[in-house]
Amino acid sequence: MPGKRKSRRQFGRVRKLPSGRYQVRYPGPDGILRPADRTFLTTTDADLWLARKRIEIEEGRWLDPAEGKAMVQDWAARWLASVGPQLKHKTWATYRSIIQSQINPVLGDRELSSVRPITVAEWVSKMQTDGMGASWIRQCYRVLAQIMDSAVDNGMIAMTPCRGVRLPRMPQTEPHILTPQEASEIVANAKAPHDLLIALLAFAGLRIGEAFALRRADIDVGARLLVVDENLAEANGALVFDTPKSHQKRVLSLAPSLVDRLSAYLDRLPGGEDTLLFTNRAGNPLRYNQWRKAYFNPAVAAAGLKDVTPHDLRASHATWVADRYGVMTAAHRLGHSNASVTTRHYARPAAGRDAQVAEASESWIGGHDIDLGARGGHGDSPQTGEEPPASR
């Protein structure tokens, strides 16, 4: 009786090598035969591998191995070029710097498919050993994660290696929340017109770049309004005018006394509607470090304060507004699209509130309620910090 004839293999090819192991080749969706990434001890092992590869192709999960051989540096450059038009100039410059200084020197000449979570963990560990700060390391990691996520989305690799990597903890730093009176003291001790700039940080909650970018046309004296639609940022030594951080234009009401002072200043300011309100002595846009050293720090010292940053004024404004008018109002004033950002990074419990809660709870125990009223001294006045009348 003739022996049983072997069934013809329906997918892929298997051949025995001189070493005794078996080599596999399979057709991709494009019909091109590709070798497996390893050899097999038995034909059974080879057939099982082919069966799994066939299912990958049929389910649309197959990735061309050649794609994963692209270098990290090449894919990073392609990714940055694709997202660049949607990024603010400063963000784009930061991403490019991270890619050139941190990613490419260590990972750039590796194939995408060769990068594993342990590779990323070692890269993060090296940055820590080199003495880099937690904030910078986490930012570098986020950029690499975006690059790898893009590689996954485009079928270059099956899974991102940026997973399960422990990042250094951010130090817990709290903003220095000032009282309105303390903020007013800083304003009073600042040289003109920088006293107005500092007042806008404290009593309008502007970002420093937004204040630096203000122009004559942004102030509506009659309506007592300020339009925030531009931001001045510094990237790699170059000053760039761009949209605000959230890309959102916002309109803020100003305290009458602050508007009066701005109006008097505008009457003396030469130039047209596009004239910057605040410049250096040469008439050029301000640079943060120079401005802080020349004008802000001396005003803080003269007010008898220390360890105060321009950003602390914005955080203080958020706290005053949130305490009296709610987090949503504070979020609008600060230009946050999400109020959780306001509470997480800016607004803090106002001093004395917990004691007031305890006093109120005594009445609650008896089944009653009392109105303790809002804590005073949260006004926008740059002179006294007094609360403006309700009609304002």
Side-chain angles (χ1 to χ4, degrees):
M1 182 176 179
K4 186 176 180 181
R5 185 177 180 181
K6 288 186 177 180
S7 61
R8 185 180 181 86
R9 184 174 285 103
Q10 296 181 349
F11 179 78
R13 300 177 185 178
V14 177
R15 75 183 183 97
K16 190 173 184 179
L17 298 173
S19 64
R21 294 182 69 85
Y22 292 87
Q23 183 187 59
V24 168
R25 300 179 74 193
Y26 71 95
D30 52 9
I32 298 176
L33 283 174
R34 292 176 173 81
D37 58 356
R38 59 186 181 276
T39 58
F40 302 91
L41 182 62
T42 66
T43 56
T44 300
D45 294 337
D47 287 337
L48 287 173
W49 188 92
L50 279 172
R52 287 194 293 268
K53 186 61 63 175
R54 183 175 186 176
I55 293 173
E56 280 184 16
I57 294 173
E58 290 175 349
E59 293 182 350
R61 295 185 289 108
W62 178 82
L63 299 178
D64 187 344
E67 298 289 355
K69 293 183 180 299
M71 297 298 179
V72 170
Q73 59 190 4
D74 296 332
W75 185 252
R78 191 173 177 184
W79 169 80
L80 185 61
S82 70
V83 301
Q86 289 78 46
L87 298 176
K88 296 173 71 64
H89 181 84
K90 184 176 182 179
T91 303
W92 176 85
T94 300
Y95 284 4
R96 184 182 65 170
S97 175
I98 288 173
I99 290 171
Q100 293 178 345
S101 66
Q102 303 303 326
I103 295 177
N104 285 350
V106 180
L107 305 173
D109 59 355
R110 297 186 64 121
E111 295 178 356
L112 286 170
S113 59
S114 73
V115 181
R116 300 286 185 264
I118 186 61
T119 313
V120 179
E122 290 169 343
W123 173 65
V124 168
S125 179
K126 181 180 183 302
M127 288 190 286
Q128 289 181 277
T129 302
D130 290 344
M132 298 181 190
S135 177
W136 178 246
I137 293 174
R138 294 172 76 93
Q139 192 169 8
C140 292
Y141 177 83
R142 285 195 296 270
V143 173
L144 180 64
Q146 290 182 72
I147 293 170
M148 290 301 180
D149 285 343
S150 176
V152 173
D153 293 341
N154 286 274
M156 309 294 286
I157 53 178
M159 188 179 297
T160 175
C162 295
R163 62 185 193 275
V165 177
R166 296 191 64 176
L167 300 176
R169 290 185 178 182
M170 289 288 291
Q172 295 296 320
T173 57
E174 287 291 318
H176 185 161
I177 302 300
L178 306 173
T179 66
Q181 185 59 41
E182 288 173 330
S184 296
E185 286 295 323
I186 297 175
V187 173
N189 282 280
K191 294 181 180 179
H194 302 280
D195 56 341
L196 283 174
L197 194 161
I198 295 172
L200 289 169
L201 300 179
F203 304 114
L206 298 188
R207 298 179 177 93
I208 189 67
E210 294 170 346
F212 283 179
L214 285 175
R215 303 177 188 273
R216 182 192 295 273
D218 295 328
I219 309 296
D220 187 336
V221 173
R224 300 205 301 263
L225 297 176
L226 180 150
V227 177
V228 181
D229 59 0
E230 205 169 10
N231 184 76
L232 179 62
E234 189 169 349
N236 295 332
L239 293 175
V240 180
F241 286 94
D242 206 338
T243 56
K245 189 172 183 179
S246 61
H247 298 278
Q248 293 180 342
K249 171 182 175 180
R250 68 188 189 277
V251 179
L252 301 175
S253 297
L254 298 177
S257 60
L258 182 54
V259 173
D260 290 343
R261 295 179 62 191
L262 281 169
S263 178
Y265 174 60
L266 292 176
D267 289 342
R268 303 188 303 270
L269 185 69
E273 293 295 283
D274 286 338
T275 301
L276 288 172
L277 265 61
F278 308 108
T279 61
N280 61 21
R281 293 178 180 177
N284 298 320
L286 295 169
R287 290 180 179 270
Y288 175 78
N289 289 334
Q290 296 173 355
W291 175 82
R292 182 173 173 182
K293 182 178 180 180
Y295 300 105
F296 184 79
N297 290 349
V300 171
L305 300 169
K306 61 180 181 179
D307 298 329
V308 178
T309 69
H311 199 70
D312 288 335
L313 296 180
R314 177 171 161 85
S316 298
H317 183 83
T319 295
W320 305 337
V321 176
D323 180 50
R324 194 171 188 84
Y325 302 105
V327 173
M328 294 302 296
T329 302
H332 166 72
R333 296 282 293 183
L334 271 64
H336 293 156
S337 57
N338 192 326
S340 65
V341 176
T342 309
T343 55
R344 186 165 65 249
H345 296 294
Y346 295 90
R348 293 295 184 271
R353 280 304 197 207
D354 193 58
Q356 292 187 7
V357 171
E359 184 180 343
S361 67
E362 180 65 25
S363 66
W364 301 338
I365 293 173
H368 304 288
D369 193 10
I370 60 172
D371 182 9
L372 294 175
R375 185 165 66 94
H378 286 183
D380 283 339
S381 169
Q383 295 296 325
T384 65
E386 295 176 356
E387 179 65 17
S391 60
R392 296 177 182 173

